[in-house]
Amino acid sequence: MIDIDTWIEIWKWVLIIGLGSFFLLAIVVLPLGARDLVRLFRRLDDPSRPSDDEAD
Amino acid sequence: MFETNFTVIDMQIVLAYLALTVAIGMLVNRHVHNASDYLVGGRSAGASLSIASFIGTGLGLVTLMYASLEGFNNGFSYLFVPVLGLAATLVLGATGWVIAPLRKLRLTTIPEYFQHRYNRRTRIVAGFICALAGILNMGLFPKMGAIFITYATGLGGLSDDAEVTVNAITTILIVLVLLYTTLGGMVAVLVTDYMQFVVLSLGMGLGLWFCFTRQDLGWENMVSVWSDHRGEAAFNPAHADSYGWQFIIWMAILTTTAAIAWAPEASRALTTTSPRTSRRMFFWGAPGFFARMAIPGLWGIAAFVFISQDATMVEYFADDAHASHAMPLMLGKIMPVGILGLLVAGLLAAFMSTHDSYLLAWSAVISQDIIGPLTPRGKLSDRQSILVTRVSVVAIGVFLLVWGVWYKLPDSVWTYMAVTGTVYLSGAATALIGGMYWRRASSTGALMCLLGGLAAIPVLFIEKLQRLAAGVSLDDTEPLTKAQAAALEVVKVWLNNPTAALAVYGLCVVLFIAGSLLFPDKHDVTATGATP
């Protein structure tokens, strides 16, 4: 059986690791996501883009 | 009691942000050239944008509201739900199980797979159940969002009937979302999801900061108050006075099946540039899945502590019906001017982003999986697809307005959403996974298990079912005798939301296997697109 103090420690570390990873991810995704948005518009407006059936 | 720190400056931030979002949604319309662009963003979203959109879709204001409500009612125990979400998305991203083959098939919607693997009839049935469950599930979103705005901005104290304010805000928000979703489609969704991700990452971080750095809140204080109030049940989700094992098992199945088959989120796997990007989106987006439920859960935990220090609020919140007002009220009182405006703007964006994703997902299902296959050609042209999708978006919006105004919120919003999700997910996920990894899966088996999922609908009325099983009056205002109350308690042990939902999942699996073995398909499975 896990006692109450161990549960508190578990949640503390789960939050540190989980939320720490999220904010790190946010720092990386913010600039790269903006770059992807620019590429998305370029690709959508590209007249030589293959049709949905031809791509991949 | 309802006053908050929300001022004219905050209001200006919110209005500026809303205007910007709607303008962008309308402007991107010129980049939409065909149905694929409208429905899946031309499958042109890179990994980082997909991650932001994936998290943005799941990070709706309703998520924040139900998560905070769970935190407020159950304390730290609730954190097992975000942990399960994290585990499910990490495993799916690492293995590519289901999601990579789905993307490889170049589908537009999830039910489209059922025609690809089984037949047209299965797709139409899946589409119908998917849209029904999804729209019902979405029915609570507007009201929850409007409650947040009303109480975080202090508007709750403006009139004697706060319900009028809530309904007015619900209407304004839905009209705004309809405007840019009908025009911009998935491209607008991707852009606004990204904006929302930016603003909310900052807003949620600041919200947490103010919770943890205040003297009357803080980690030590929160742990101590909850420990005194609920003991081990506040920390151990399996404890008899907390969620219990049945609920944990249900959530493990629900979070996994939702990630692979719940249209708004699973359809993100269809918008990426390649199957590999879909896997990366799930794997790297996993912390977002955790944070979107853990942070508001922590706000709910903090709101409980905040309220416990004020006698007037303790009295107000003694009524369970007011629990959903706790988190917005606390944030409105602890966040400083300006930052509160930024947070409300971010959360409003969250509201709109979830609505646009859901509206588009369910409308796409209606146009592509129900109306399209029923036409003589078996599918709609590009122009027809966009038109039918837009009309469906507006129709669902009108339904949400009516539902949002008239429907009374249940005690546990999360359970309502989990049950409505089970209606579709129990059958669809079984038929999807079985279709991909079991060669003998047949269209009859798939149809039977999809229809089996409808057995979850009565679970929405679980309290009536419990009373019926215990042989007591269905009228819950009628007083019970001691013997009747004891009988009802016994029934509640074996007939409750988790046991009933798990039984529906089990029923779907049994129907799927039995139907497939007893009524095998005559055609070659690989020819219809069975995937490895």
Side-chain angles (χ1 to χ4, degrees):
Chain A
M1 284 295 286
I2 304 174
D3 64 27
I4 195 165
D5 291 329
T6 313
W7 273 113
I8 293 167
E9 278 300 301
I10 289 172
W11 292 131
K12 188 167 93 180
W13 285 104
V14 162
L15 288 169
I16 289 172
I17 295 167
L19 298 181
S21 317
F22 170 70
F23 288 115
L24 271 179
L25 173 83
I27 290 169
V28 175
V29 163
L30 293 187
L32 295 182
R35 184 203 62 184
D36 281 351
L37 262 183
V38 174
R39 285 183 182 169
L40 168 80
F41 289 126
R42 270 200 210 128
R43 201 170 157 177
L44 287 174
D45 293 334
D46 180 4
S48 61
R49 176 168 55 120
S51 74
D52 200 39
D53 297 329
E54 298 166 74
D56 274 4
Chain B
M1 192 192 83
F2 293 113
E3 301 85 38
T4 65
N5 298 334
F6 196 84
T7 63
V8 178
I9 298 169
D10 299 295
M11 181 59 86
Q12 285 167 344
I13 293 173
V14 171
L15 290 178
Y17 187 81
L18 281 182
L20 183 71
T21 311
V22 176
I24 286 177
M26 290 174 166
L27 283 174
V28 297
N29 187 34
R30 66 194 170 94
H31 297 283
V32 175
H33 305 291
N34 54 44
S36 165
D37 294 353
Y38 187 77
L39 295 172
V40 285
R43 301 189 208 279
S44 302
S48 299
L49 179 59
S50 298
I51 289 169
S53 177
F54 184 52
I55 296 170
T57 298
L59 225 174
L61 188 41
V62 71
T63 311
L64 304 186
M65 288 295 285
Y66 72 64
S68 69
L69 200 52
E70 291 298 310
F72 184 80
N73 288 328
N74 299 288
F76 292 84
S77 292
Y78 156 74
L79 293 173
F80 87 93
V81 179
V83 169
L84 287 178
L86 175 79
T89 35
L90 270 180
V91 170
L92 289 174
T95 60
W97 192 62
V98 181
I99 53 165
L102 267 184
R103 171 60 187 85
K104 220 173 183 177
L105 290 169
R106 307 192 58 76
L107 308 171
T108 308
T109 64
I110 300 294
E112 193 181 339
Y113 172 79
F114 295 110
Q115 178 166 3
H116 194 85
R117 173 64 177 83
Y118 303 110
N119 56 28
R120 197 169 66 154
R121 198 172 46 173
T122 315
R123 177 186 185 177
I124 295 170
V125 171
F128 178 76
I129 297 173
C130 177
L132 172 79
I135 296 166
L136 266 180
N137 181 274
M138 196 183 174
L140 291 186
F141 290 16
K143 195 155 207 164
M144 293 298 282
I147 286 175
F148 176 86
I149 306 295
T150 305
Y151 289 94
T153 56
L155 293 173
L158 268 191
S159 71
D160 291 340
D161 189 2
E163 192 78 5
V164 176
T165 317
V166 169
N167 289 340
I169 293 175
T170 306
T171 311
I172 296 167
L173 292 177
I174 289 178
V175 170
L176 279 177
V177 176
L178 286 179
L179 257 180
Y180 74 85
T181 312
T182 45
L183 290 173
M186 183 56 85
V187 181
V189 170
L190 288 169
V191 176
T192 51
D193 275 354
Y194 174 75
M195 286 173 59
Q196 182 212 327
F197 179 78
V198 175
V199 177
L200 261 194
S201 301
L202 190 63
M204 293 204 310
L206 288 170
L208 264 190
W209 171 263
F210 284 104
C211 280
F212 282 124
T213 53
R214 273 179 71 103
Q215 256 193 347
D216 54 349
L217 297 174
W219 175 260
E220 295 299 333
N221 212 15
M222 288 199 265
V223 165
S224 157
V225 168
W226 273 99
S227 191
D228 293 345
H229 178 70
R230 293 276 294 273
E232 194 188 328
F235 302 93
N236 177 2
H239 193 277
D241 294 331
S242 185
Y243 291 96
W245 278 111
Q246 293 162 341
F247 199 93
I248 294 173
I249 295 167
W250 178 30
M251 286 303 111
I253 295 172
L254 188 84
T255 46
T256 309
T257 52
I260 57 172
W262 191 239
E265 275 136 25
S267 65
R268 283 296 170 286
L270 312 177
T271 62
T272 59
T273 50
S274 67
R276 187 168 164 261
T277 309
S278 291
R279 288 179 60 175
R280 286 168 67 193
M281 177 186 83
F282 268 75
F283 188 81
W284 293 110
F289 241 72
F290 174 80
R292 73 175 184 138
M293 295 177 98
I295 293 177
L298 279 172
W299 287 346
I301 291 167
F304 181 87
V305 178
F306 185 77
I307 280 156
S308 68
Q309 296 161 4
D310 182 312
T312 323
M313 285 206 266
V314 169
E315 195 183 327
Y316 177 75
F317 285 99
D319 182 350
D320 287 345
H322 295 156
S324 61
H325 311 167
M327 180 274 282
L329 197 59
M330 176 201 72
L331 286 182
K333 283 179 181 290
I334 69 168
M335 301 284 276
V337 175
I339 292 178
L340 179 60
L342 183 75
L343 183 71
V344 173
L347 292 176
L348 259 178
F351 175 93
M352 295 169 77
S353 156
T354 304
H355 274 73
D356 61 21
S357 299
Y358 272 65
L359 281 170
L360 195 65
W362 306 132
S363 304
V365 168
I366 291 171
S367 71
Q368 305 296 303
D369 303 312
I370 303 174
I371 296 176
L374 287 172
T375 57
R377 276 180 61 218
K379 66 175 194 175
L380 299 168
S381 68
D382 263 16
R383 236 178 112 187
Q384 288 169 328
S385 279
I386 296 177
L387 179 69
V388 172
T389 307
R390 281 178 169 156
V391 170
S392 305
V393 166
V394 175
I396 298 172
V398 171
F399 164 79
L400 291 179
L401 263 180
V402 176
W403 188 264
V405 171
W406 292 106
Y407 189 78
K408 296 280 173 234
L409 287 180
D411 291 342
S412 172
V413 176
W414 173 236
T415 303
Y416 169 89
M417 292 180 61
V419 171
T420 47
T422 299
V423 172
Y424 166 69
L425 291 172
S426 52
T430 307
L432 186 65
I433 297 165
M436 278 188 181
Y437 299 105
W438 188 38
R439 275 180 173 272
R440 296 180 70 178
S442 79
S443 47
T444 309
L447 260 182
M448 284 168 66
C449 85
L450 280 165
L451 292 171
L454 294 175
I457 291 178
V459 185
L460 285 171
F461 311 97
I462 193 77
E463 282 169 16
K464 301 274 182 215
L465 292 177
Q466 287 166 338
R467 296 178 81 89
L468 204 65
V472 300
S473 162
L474 292 182
D475 181 5
D476 53 10
T477 56
E478 214 170 274
L480 299 177
T481 64
K482 250 187 180 176
Q484 285 176 324
L488 193 58
E489 284 310 306
V490 171
V491 167
K492 282 180 181 176
V493 172
W494 60 266
L495 180 61
N496 48 51
N497 280 307
T499 53
L502 285 172
V504 174
Y505 271 99
L507 173 75
C508 289
V509 173
V510 170
L511 287 174
F512 181 66
I513 294 172
S516 297
L517 293 177
L518 293 173
F519 306 100
D521 285 333
K522 291 194 174 72
H523 54 77
D524 180 13
V525 171
T526 51
T528 58
T531 49

